[in-house]
Amino acid sequence: MTDLQQRFAPDRRTDRVEVRISPTSSGPQLSGYTTVPAAARALDSLAAQWSGVSSSVALLPRAELTGEYGIIRTSVANIRTEPGHSQELTSQALLGTPIELLDARDGWYLIRTPDRYIAWLEEGAFVRTDRTGLTAWLSELSTCGLAQTDVWDTPERGRLVSELVAGCLVQRVGPPTGDYQLVRLPDDRRGYVRATDLKDYARLAQPGRVVVDSILQTAYQQVGRPYLWGGTSTKAMDCSGFTKTAYYLNGYVIPRDASQQVHAGVDVPLDDGLTALRRGDLLFFGSYRDDGSERVTHVGFYLGKGRFLHAGADNDYITENSLLEKDADFAPHRKESLLRARRLREGSPGVVPVGEAFERLYTRSSSR
């Protein structure tokens, strides 16, 4: 089974082949699930070749969830490695984001996000819809342009309806009322947001090109925000959540984790003088395993002149450090653990416009 996992789902964060052989009264049976149609076919073929072995491997999404999607209804939804509030926080999704529903267990859903990340989300954090409802939602959107703002039940700021963070998606309803805009949330709640706090979704969905200065400007706006393992919002974020969020707020979806982001973009050679690096390149840090392979554990933005910007658990907040010994904020453990550098640009691997990433979510699953 290990060979099949490596062949069809080498990274279980984006695809799964979770299969075991179990004894039953009628003989051995292959059971479990996979998200890869080709893996399901291979497992059925394998079972047919083994005398007395049957297969009940489920292809996700399960039949009852086929054609079912979700839209995040809370400002920041916490996504976990396993079902349960006490389980590890592994990622987050913002209000208005579409998700694919794959499986369900005790009020929790195994979901896929637009960056193809697979993990568990409680049912109260999203509203269910079908492809028609999803495309209708995505047709008329605005995005929150501030790090944080609020939705009120009246323009006079009476009762709080919801908070929004940068990148949350809402629908405008009618023309503005003075300084405020009536908006609709995914669960059909409505309220008023200061009109200047909203931006046109089209600029997020179809950014045209990667503008390094804009991405770094967004990154600098997060300086001082706290570190949070699994965080991917402007409230708090981990290292790869920081780089991912800076790209997302400029119109691009990139892979979730540092060990995935290191395969995005194109490689930039490293030398002692860092001469090939440009501002905005991603720096990757880590160590080497016993077999010589790289173990990437950290990522940050290169700023030029040996400096980098990152969200580090060792700092507890987003800050600058230096790779040069002469600087007061030199981080020796980062210099020693620097492994790779990548340059992410439009059209390079793993750099997908937001609108395209959203569309792939439901066109990919419907084509199975």
Side-chain angles (χ1 to χ4, degrees):
M1 296 308 165
T2 301
D3 290 343
L4 282 172
Q5 289 174 331
Q6 287 300 312
R7 178 183 172 189
F8 292 108
D11 186 347
R12 73 183 303 273
R13 293 167 294 186
T14 56
D15 266 312
R16 302 277 177 92
V17 177
E18 304 289 334
V19 178
R20 60 188 178 277
I21 300 179
S22 305
T24 70
S25 58
S26 57
Q29 183 180 71
L30 287 177
S31 60
Y33 71 89
T34 180
T35 60
V36 185
R41 292 191 294 269
L43 287 163
D44 287 342
S45 177
L46 190 62
Q49 296 173 27
W50 291 345
S51 176
V53 177
S54 60
S55 176
S56 64
V57 175
L59 175 62
L60 302 187
R62 294 192 183 274
E64 62 270 23
L65 292 176
T66 300
E68 292 290 309
Y69 302 92
I71 305 171
I72 302 297
R73 65 182 293 269
T74 60
S75 63
V76 182
N78 293 324
I79 302 172
R80 303 188 182 277
T81 53
E82 298 293 339
H85 291 289
S86 63
Q87 299 299 317
E88 178 188 8
L89 177 67
T90 190
S91 193
Q92 294 177 318
L94 304 181
L95 184 144
T97 301
I99 56 174
E100 182 184 6
L101 307 182
L102 302 174
D103 201 357
R105 185 195 306 172
D106 299 328
W108 288 78
Y109 283 78
L110 187 66
I111 67 164
R112 189 193 297 276
T113 55
D115 55 14
R116 303 196 66 249
Y117 212 76
I118 295 175
W120 291 88
L121 180 64
E122 60 178 319
E123 61 182 348
F126 66 93
V127 292
R128 287 180 64 165
T129 188
D130 56 17
R131 181 170 176 176
T132 299
L134 190 58
T135 53
W137 168 255
L138 295 173
S139 64
E140 298 180 18
L141 290 177
S142 292
T143 181
C144 177
L146 291 186
Q148 185 171 341
T149 191
D150 295 310
V151 182
W152 302 91
D153 66 340
T154 69
E156 290 74 33
R157 299 163 63 96
R159 179 180 59 83
L160 183 68
V161 176
S162 176
E163 69 165 6
L164 302 176
V165 300
C168 285
L169 301 172
V170 297
Q171 288 186 331
R172 292 178 186 259
V173 179
T177 301
D179 293 335
Y180 284 82
Q181 172 67 53
L182 179 63
V183 297
R184 174 179 173 265
L185 306 184
D187 54 7
D188 210 33
R189 287 178 296 162
R190 301 189 180 207
Y192 291 85
V193 183
R194 189 178 294 275
T196 53
D197 294 349
L198 299 176
K199 292 184 177 180
D200 184 8
Y201 169 69
R203 295 170 58 188
L204 187 76
Q206 301 173 329
R209 65 187 182 91
V210 171
V211 181
V212 173
D213 286 345
S214 295
I215 290 172
L216 288 181
Q217 181 182 23
T218 300
Y220 271 117
Q221 290 169 351
Q222 315 314 316
V223 170
R225 298 194 187 280
Y227 178 91
L228 174 67
W229 177 271
T232 62
S233 82
T234 51
K235 283 177 170 289
M237 57 205 88
D238 60 21
C239 65
S240 55
F242 170 50
T243 51
K244 170 183 165 60
T245 298
Y247 268 89
Y248 178 78
L249 296 180
N250 283 275
Y252 288 94
V253 171
I254 66 173
R256 166 64 184 94
D257 292 340
S259 57
Q260 297 171 310
Q261 291 177 10
V262 74
H263 301 293
V266 297
D267 193 60
V268 180
L270 290 174
D271 58 34
D272 289 341
L274 308 176
T275 57
L277 292 177
R278 298 180 189 170
R279 292 180 73 252
D281 288 346
L282 294 186
L283 301 181
F284 294 90
F285 307 82
S287 59
Y288 290 94
R289 300 184 180 90
D290 292 341
D291 62 5
S293 62
E294 294 175 343
R295 180 174 176 267
V296 174
T297 57
H298 190 62
V299 60
F301 285 107
Y302 185 65
L303 302 175
K305 298 181 179 180
R307 305 192 63 76
F308 65 103
L309 187 65
H310 64 135
D314 50 342
N315 296 320
D316 273 339
Y317 58 88
I318 296 168
T319 189
E320 278 191 48
N321 280 114
S322 175
L323 297 170
L324 304 181
E325 294 184 25
K326 66 179 180 63
D327 292 334
D329 55 358
F330 171 55
H333 65 298
R334 298 301 184 194
K335 176 67 178 298
E336 294 165 3
S337 62
L338 181 60
L339 294 177
R340 302 275 294 279
R342 303 286 288 186
R343 185 166 297 148
L344 277 56
R345 297 292 184 268
E346 66 278 0
S348 62
V351 184
V352 184
V354 166
E356 183 178 334
F358 284 4
E359 184 176 351
R360 285 182 183 182
L361 190 75
Y362 57 87
T363 55
R364 177 180 180 271
S365 59
S366 64
S367 64
R368 292 185 173 188

